[in-house]
Structure formats: structure tokens, C-alpha cells
Amino acid sequence: MTGRRLTSLLAYITTSAAGASLLTGCGVLPGATGGSREPVTVMTWAPDQTRATNMPGMPAMAQTFARWVNSQGGIDGHELRVLTCNEHNSTAGAAACARRAVRENAVAVVGSYSQNGRAFMAPLEAAGIPYIGGYGISEDEFTSPLSYPVNGGQASLIAGHGIQLAGSCRTVSLVRPDTLAGDRLPELLNSGLRKASHRGAVDIPAVEDAAEYTAQASRAREKAGEEQGCVTAVLGERTQTFFDSFRRLPEQEDGGGGRGGGAPGEDSGEENGAVRISSVLGSVGQPVIDRTGGAHSPFEGAFVTGWYPEAGDKSWAPMRKVIQEHAFADNRVDPADAGVQTTWIAYTVLKDVVEALDDDTISASRIAHALDRGERIDTGGLTPTLRWKYEDLLGAPGYPRIVNHEVTFQVVRKGRLVAQKPGFVDVGETVLSAP
């Protein structure tokens, strides 16, 4: 064999081996989408492995969504590239994630969680990067002209929760984080309670990342009283810790308490003389109920206000199918988790907008402009049709950019979160009336 033929043979073998290594795993070349358009790069961030609220399912859902759309040829021929970032529940972490999004030319931040709105919105605004479908935990998500929320945030949840509780609770104790974001919660809850001429809740601030809440639990139960009393806790991931402290309280104060001292009976709302517990989605959800005993959970019978239909609703079927086929048994991607659900809806918005632009190049400014001029997003019944034109904004003080002000009333029955009342409840006027 001549030297030239040997060299050619070696080159062929090397090229074939490289191609084979690229084809391992998914069976396609990484990034191959079948289209020739430029990739679309976005970022999703959330805190993980912190002492407070963690949302690892949100970046995991973003990666799952990307695997799905890229297996279908991308979004309108654009490969979707998802950057993820641990926000660490800190202002420094949030700012670092935002700066990385700018540095890596992300055209949007999608389906993310952070309480540190001021830290992340400033870098995004300076670079003109839209923030699509954040979790709704910071006020900046509802004030920045570059934020496009898909739900009504904590404001709608808490105001709606007041309405949900008003018909069943004579007295309400609210245990909430002693933080800037937590300071608004009593006003919002009271705005809902007062819709039914109910007196305001007793406000009990608590450290967000405490290891136990015995003192706050005791005070909350005492103030709620023994007859038609309700204890509401909105502490994010630490809500479970609070109710663990609550159920361990001596039983003499509430006449026996019922089911762990806090959640008697079924979901009828009829009073049985014991203190009833309640919360909102994100602080209590199906994953928490499953972890704490299902039908024997201390949350049995609890009232819960959510943004979206119950997890078993048929509207979630497309998301469930994508998770089943593309999450690869990643247990962070729980279809009943509110963070995962919000991320799915946020990426639905992104997909719709990119398809509507129908161009080889997608930029941050073009996405923001499309949303501002009134691109309508159909989420398949998970929310009302979303649109962010000026006339669609609620304009509530502190939350002017809310466009979805509908919530759902749910209850824990036999270990499952189910609808207490069918359909959505519009709480826009209640949010507007909050001080």
C-alpha cells in the first residue's frame, strides 16, 4: 500500500470514528435540528441546594423542553439552546445569572425563579433582554417593561386565597416570611377576606429558613381560635417545616386538633370545631403532600389556591407526554410541581413568538417587540389567552403588568389536590383594591 493510500485510509477511519462518537446517545448530531436558521439561546435560572426555597425542576423542565423541540426540528427551524444557572436565593447569585445571560447573548430569560428582582432586572433591562414567565415571586416581575408574566404571581394567589377562606374561616392567622416580599402578603390576603366582609388576618412574620417554627405555630393556633379558625402558612419550601411544628403542638388548645392538629375532615368546608390549615401553590403542592404521607399527610383537608388547573386536568396532557418521552427519568421534573408547570407555559410563549416571527435570525428586541405589539398566546386552557398590550395590563399598584389574574380553588382530598370549585376565579378587582 502506498503512503498516499495509507494516509487516505487513516483519514477515513478517523472521520468515521468521530462521526460515530457524535451519534452516540440520541442518534443524531448534537444541535442538528433539520433547519438552517440560527440557534436561539435562552436562559432559565432557579435556586438549588439552598436553605430556603429551591426550584430545581424549572431548569430541568427547560432542558426537557429543549430536547423535545430540537427532536422535532427546533422552533421553526431554530435549534433551542438552554443555559441554566443556580440563582442561590441571593442578590449576588441573581445578578451573576443575569450578567451571564447578557454575556452569552441570550435572547430571553424564560421560566425562572428568583425573589431578587432588583438584582436581575437591571442587567436584563440594560441589555434589552425580555424576562418571560418568571415564577411571579418578586414585584419587579410585575413592574419592568421587559417582564412578561404568565400568572398573577403571589399577589393573585394571596388575594384569591382570602376569597377562598372567607366562606369557611371566622378567624385567620397568616404565617409568612419576614422579608420585603412577605411584607405585602397581609394586605393582599385581607383584600380577599374583606370581599366577604371578613375581618383581617392576624399577621405572624417568621424567619424564612428556620429549622422549626414552634413559637409561630403556637401563636397562629391561639389567634385562630378553636371555632372556625384557619391557619395559613406561606413560607415556600419551609411551609412543610412549619406544619410539622404545628402538628406537634399539644392538643389541648384546639380541643384535639384533628389529623395532626391541623387538617380535619374532607373538603366540604363544613366546620367541625377544629383549626383548619391552608396555603397557596408553591408553598404546598402535590409533591409535598406525597412526601408527607399522601392521604395521611398533615395537609389532608387543607385549602390551597393555585394559578393553574389541578395537576390531573387533561390540559396538562401535552406537557406530561413531553416529560415522559424526554425527561429521561429526571425526578426533578415533576408534572405536579408549580415551578415545572410555570416553565412549560413560559416556553410555550417563547415557542409561539419565535414561530410568529418566522425569520432566520431571532433577537431579544424582536421578541420583546412582538410581545408588546400584542402577540396572542394560547396555552391550551392552562391560562386565559395571554397578551401583553397596554390595554391588557391590570394596572394594579405594585403589579401593573399582571395580565393573568385568574386563580383556581383546590383542596386536599384523599391525598390529592383536586378542584374545590370548577374553573377559574377572576381576582383582578381584589388585587386592584389591595392597599
Side-chain angles (χ1 to χ4, degrees):
M1 181 178 291
T2 66
R4 179 177 295 178
R5 291 181 63 191
L6 179 60
T7 301
S8 299
L9 178 61
L10 289 172
Y12 173 79
I13 293 171
T14 302
T15 303
S16 299
S21 67
L22 288 171
L23 287 165
T24 58
C26 297
V28 295
L29 291 171
T33 63
S36 59
R37 293 180 158 182
E38 290 188 2
V40 169
T41 300
V42 299
M43 176 177 278
T44 298
W45 61 56
D48 191 14
Q49 299 180 339
T50 74
R51 293 182 57 193
T53 298
N54 296 296
M55 287 286 179
M58 298 183 79
M61 181 69 239
Q63 293 168 326
T64 300
F65 191 97
R67 284 192 290 269
W68 168 57
V69 295
N70 289 339
S71 74
Q72 304 294 314
I75 302 178
D76 198 30
H78 296 273
E79 176 198 354
L80 177 62
R81 295 179 177 174
V82 172
L83 309 172
T84 63
C85 189
N86 187 348
E87 181 265 1
H88 292 292
N89 264 324
S90 69
T91 55
C97 287
R99 288 194 298 268
R100 183 181 161 210
V102 175
R103 186 170 64 250
E104 301 205 30
N105 298 314
V107 298
V109 174
V110 187
S112 297
Y113 180 103
S114 177
Q115 299 185 51
N116 303 291
R118 293 182 184 177
F120 70 74
M121 278 310 310
L124 296 184
E125 287 175 346
I129 298 174
Y131 188 73
I132 301 173
Y135 191 78
I137 196 70
S138 73
E139 289 189 18
D140 297 78
E141 295 176 57
F142 300 100
T143 57
S144 171
L146 277 172
S147 180
Y148 303 89
V150 299
N151 59 47
Q154 287 282 86
S156 292
L157 282 184
I158 301 299
H161 199 54
I163 297 173
Q164 186 179 17
L165 296 181
S168 300
C169 307
R170 185 176 63 85
T171 307
V172 177
S173 295
L174 170 65
V175 183
R176 50 85 176 179
D178 190 9
T179 62
L180 194 62
D183 290 344
R184 285 297 309 273
L185 302 189
E187 299 171 351
L188 290 161
L189 185 71
N190 289 339
S191 69
L193 288 169
R194 288 170 182 153
K195 282 287 182 181
S197 301
H198 194 287
R199 63 181 180 179
V202 178
D203 180 27
I204 303 175
V207 176
E208 187 178 29
D209 59 355
E212 57 86 29
Y213 292 95
T214 302
Q216 293 85 357
S218 179
R219 183 172 177 232
R221 192 170 66 177
E222 176 188 355
K223 295 298 182 181
E226 297 182 9
E227 186 176 345
Q228 292 182 291
C230 291
V231 172
T232 297
V234 184
L235 293 165
E237 199 168 82
R238 293 291 168 155
T239 303
Q240 178 181 336
T241 304
F242 170 81
F243 281 122
D244 185 61
S245 296
F246 186 82
R247 71 181 178 84
R248 294 174 186 275
L249 292 175
E251 296 184 355
Q252 71 273 11
E253 292 183 40
D254 64 6
R259 282 211 187 116
E266 294 294 340
D267 64 291
S268 65
E270 296 177 3
E271 301 306 328
N272 55 15
V275 174
R276 193 155 190 176
I277 66 172
S278 71
S279 191
V280 298
L281 208 65
S283 288
V284 172
Q286 192 60 54
V288 173
I289 297 164
D290 292 341
R291 286 199 306 268
T292 55
H296 302 289
S297 164
F299 297 106
E300 183 69 17
F303 295 122
V304 178
T305 304
W307 292 303
Y308 316 124
E310 62 187 276
D313 190 276
K314 63 182 181 181
S315 301
W316 294 111
M319 180 190 74
R320 288 181 175 276
K321 186 173 187 293
V322 168
I323 291 173
Q324 182 181 5
E325 296 178 357
H326 297 276
F328 302 142
D330 187 340
N331 60 14
R332 296 174 299 168
V333 189
D334 189 330
D337 179 77
V340 168
Q341 294 172 346
T342 300
T343 304
W344 169 262
I345 295 170
Y347 273 89
T348 299
V349 173
L350 176 75
K351 181 174 181 290
D352 192 294
V353 172
V354 171
E355 289 173 344
L357 289 173
D358 188 24
D359 204 342
D360 291 346
T361 302
I362 304 297
S363 66
S365 61
R366 294 196 66 195
I367 289 176
H369 181 64
L371 293 170
D372 290 338
R373 73 169 183 255
E375 180 67 28
R376 300 175 68 89
I377 312 296
D378 181 359
T379 63
L382 299 174
T383 68
T385 299
L386 300 174
R387 193 175 70 161
W388 292 270
K389 287 189 74 172
Y390 179 78
E391 56 264 34
D392 301 307
L393 305 180
L394 181 63
Y399 309 95
R401 290 190 64 81
I402 290 179
V403 296
N404 174 11
H405 33 85
E406 295 188 354
V407 299
T408 56
F409 291 166
Q410 302 176 33
V411 68
V412 183
R413 181 196 298 158
K414 297 180 180 178
R416 304 302 300 174
L417 263 174
V418 297
Q420 181 196 17
K421 177 178 180 178
F424 291 95
V425 178
D426 192 329
V427 298
E429 289 187 7
T430 308
V431 175
L432 281 168
S433 69

